[in-house]
Amino acid sequence: MAFPVLWTLVTSFKTEAVAVAIPPRFLDFDWTLENYRTVLRRSDYALHFWNSVIISVGSTLLAMLFCIPAAWSMAFVPGRHTKNILMWMLSTKMLPPVGVLVPIYLLFREWGLLDTRIGLIIVLGLMNLPIIVWMLYTYFKEIPGEILEAARTDGAGLTSEILFILAPLALPGIASTVLLNIILAWNEAFWTINLTASSAAPLTAFIASYSSPQGLFYAKLSAASIMAIAPIMILGWFCQKQLVRGLTFGAVK
């Protein structure tokens, strides 16, 4: 699984001629940093990086704002159609994004949201709603309802119940959901490439800019790819224990 990333890393230190050489050369070549220098000169990496940070974190916060109350209601106040609603939400992920590209593009054009951070925050937040609701619903179902009933008996309102009782108990699950959603939003390429041009372009569009009609510049494309995935890989590395803990939350009694 790590080999493609390792190959991309090695290719980023090659010249373009060596990058396309056949047979491929893995380590026996003159290593160079010229690709990274070229990428930094040609592109505004800092702008793309901060766009990715703002869009991924913003879309995650927007999604959590809606998903925590939705998952709470489905877990603790289920209705007759709760399971059907959950299946319907999950089924929306089966629709290819290109199937709704034209209407969303036209709506964004009419509302002035093309090539804006707020537009991408909205579309990425909505795109990941089903996954987040399902994950939170699973975590919340593992919490005994008697604890929340005791809080209501002591006079806790709905807001206090969610913020001070439910959230601390489900913190591992909520944290892993937030991390996973940030990773999904950071790596999203379809919407970011089609709904942005320059001002709000994140790192996925930054990578795509090194694929041109003149051809693929493999070495520079590899350097751009490493620069784009490095921040999220570092985040995943430092948060892996929390992520695993959250993803297995409630699995062992």
Side-chain angles (χ1 to χ4, degrees), residues 219-235:
K220 296 178 182 61
L221 183 61
S222 298
S225 299
I226 292 299
M227 294 173 67
I229 67 176
I232 202 67
M233 288 186 68
I234 294 171
L235 175 66

Side-chain angles (χ1 to χ4, degrees), residues 16 20 210-212 214-219 221:
E16 292 294 345
V20 297
Y210 287 88
S211 173
S212 66
Q214 289 76 27
L216 290 175
F217 299 94
Y218 288 104
L221 183 61

Side-chain angles (χ1 to χ4, degrees), residues 52-142:
S52 287
V53 171
I54 293 171
I55 291 167
S56 57
V57 174
S59 64
T60 299
L61 294 178
L62 177 65
M64 296 299 289
L65 181 66
F66 290 97
C67 290
I68 290 179
W72 172 87
S73 65
M74 292 179 180
F76 299 109
V77 195
R80 189 172 58 177
H81 301 292
T82 294
K83 291 187 177 180
N84 294 332
I85 293 173
L86 284 167
M87 290 304 301
W88 170 77
M89 293 182 68
L90 190 62
S91 70
T92 62
K93 296 296 294 182
M94 303 176 190
L95 175 69
V98 70
V100 292
L101 174 60
V102 173
I104 288 180
Y105 184 90
L106 294 176
L107 286 172
F108 272 44
R109 186 183 66 179
E110 291 296 319
W111 296 339
L113 293 176
L114 286 177
D115 199 22
T116 63
R117 291 170 176 171
I118 187 64
L120 286 178
I121 287 173
I122 292 172
V123 74
L124 295 186
L126 295 177
M127 179 188 69
N128 290 324
L129 277 178
I131 295 176
I132 299 176
V133 169
W134 263 92
M135 289 184 68
L136 292 177
Y137 170 77
T138 303
Y139 300 140
F140 291 172
K141 286 288 288 183
E142 298 296 328

Side-chain angles (χ1 to χ4, degrees), residues 38 51 70 84-85 118 131 135 143-145 159 176 206 208 218 241:
T38 302
N51 283 342
N84 294 332
I85 293 173
I118 187 64
I131 295 176
M135 289 184 68
I143 297 175
T159 303
S176 65
F206 165 74
Y218 288 104
K241 290 184 179 180

